[in-house]
Amino acid sequence: MEILEANINNYHLLRNTLITGNPIIIPTDTNYNFCCLPNDKEAIDKIFEYKIRPKNKPLSIFISRPENWERYGTSKHTDIMNFLIKKFWPGALNIIIENKTDYDYALNGSNTISLGCVSNKVFRDFVDYVGGVVAITSANISGTADDTLITESIAIQHIGDKVDYLLRSQTEITNTKSSTIVKINDEGTVSVIREGDISKEQIRSILHERGITVEN
């Protein structure tokens, strides 16, 4: 595996790697992640093979610009979605809403989509360069690092002999847990699916300002 610094020449190389059906590893605000184009079945299959991950688990879809979320998902409660985005994006919060893409293979046919938009500048610049959207999942063997973030060194240890390139973050990753995941429910409530550094109590407190209930 070759470790690449963030620059336009390397972005071009990495984009070509993605276009030819090969995943790469990139940083987010939390984990180093496998990354591929969201409609690339060949690359998606490779990710599940390399991760030894059951195919019944969908990938997450991450975008470079918060304001573009409506290209990929829809919600009966756009006010809640926009409020969460205003408060937490870009940042370590994934939001599950209804899917409106044709990324069926990456999402395993799910009618929902887990959208993220992180603050890591290298991630956002690169994803912008490749079109504004990618599919990701943490760069480790499934079930082997559930209680720790996937650092550069862990990603290399787990996956270094599988992919050609890792794009290095220019800033230290300071989060201590994987992203918090929430779901906007049809009833206009919010469920916390996974709690990360953005805590359930923090979400509850902020949504309380708008009279929005966070379910237990």
Side-chain angles (χ1 to χ4, degrees):
M1 176 190 288
E2 184 176 355
I3 298 173
L4 301 180
E5 300 296 336
N7 60 59
I8 194 66
N9 290 332
N10 286 338
Y11 286 177
H12 183 72
L13 171 64
L14 292 168
R15 181 177 65 181
N16 285 344
T17 302
L18 293 179
I19 289 170
T20 56
N22 294 295
I24 61 173
I25 295 175
I26 60 174
T28 63
D29 289 347
T30 55
N31 297 297
Y32 272 81
N33 282 261
F34 279 113
C35 166
C36 71
L37 300 178
N39 260 335
D40 190 332
K41 291 185 178 180
E42 180 183 358
I44 292 166
D45 282 342
K46 288 177 181 177
I47 288 174
F48 280 94
E49 176 188 346
Y50 299 161
K51 238 182 116 64
I52 316 177
R53 175 177 176 150
K55 184 60 182 70
N56 63 352
K57 294 185 178 181
L59 302 181
S60 296
I61 304 300
F62 273 38
I63 59 179
S64 57
R65 298 173 184 262
E67 63 271 20
N68 291 341
W69 73 267
E70 288 183 284
R71 297 179 184 178
Y72 309 102
T74 184
S75 173
K76 295 178 181 178
H77 305 282
T78 56
D79 56 330
I80 299 177
M81 182 67 175
N82 286 323
F83 188 63
L84 287 169
I85 288 172
K86 179 181 178 181
K87 293 294 184 180
F88 295 109
W89 277 10
L93 181 76
N94 297 5
I95 308 172
I96 299 174
I97 54 176
E98 294 298 310
N99 174 42
K100 64 184 289 187
T101 73
D102 61 354
Y103 303 155
D104 292 346
Y105 200 68
L107 300 176
N108 193 39
S110 175
N111 61 0
T112 62
I113 187 169
S114 179
L115 285 177
C117 182
V118 298
S119 62
N120 187 290
K121 186 177 187 302
V122 170
F123 178 95
R124 296 183 73 191
D125 287 350
F126 175 69
V127 175
D128 244 0
Y129 187 80
V130 300
V133 58
V134 292
I136 70 166
T137 184
S138 59
N140 64 289
I141 305 299
S142 288
T144 61
D146 293 339
D147 298 323
T148 186
L149 292 184
I150 307 306
T151 61
E152 179 183 306
S153 61
I154 292 175
I156 292 170
Q157 176 187 350
H158 281 237
I159 309 297
D161 62 341
K162 303 295 186 184
V163 302
D164 291 332
Y165 301 111
L166 178 147
L167 179 60
R168 174 172 279 165
S169 181
Q170 290 180 328
T171 55
E172 181 182 358
I173 295 173
T174 57
N175 281 286
T176 64
K177 301 175 183 177
S178 293
S179 298
T180 298
I181 302 174
V182 300
K183 183 177 185 293
I184 299 175
N185 302 309
D186 288 345
E187 300 79 12
T189 60
V190 172
S191 298
V192 178
I193 308 301
R194 183 178 73 193
E195 190 171 12
D197 283 2
I198 298 173
S199 70
K200 184 174 184 177
E201 284 309 310
Q202 185 179 356
I203 294 168
R204 190 192 304 276
S205 176
I206 287 173
L207 291 181
H208 181 72
E209 300 173 15
R210 293 293 183 93
I212 300 165
T213 299
V214 175
E215 294 186 351
N216 293 324

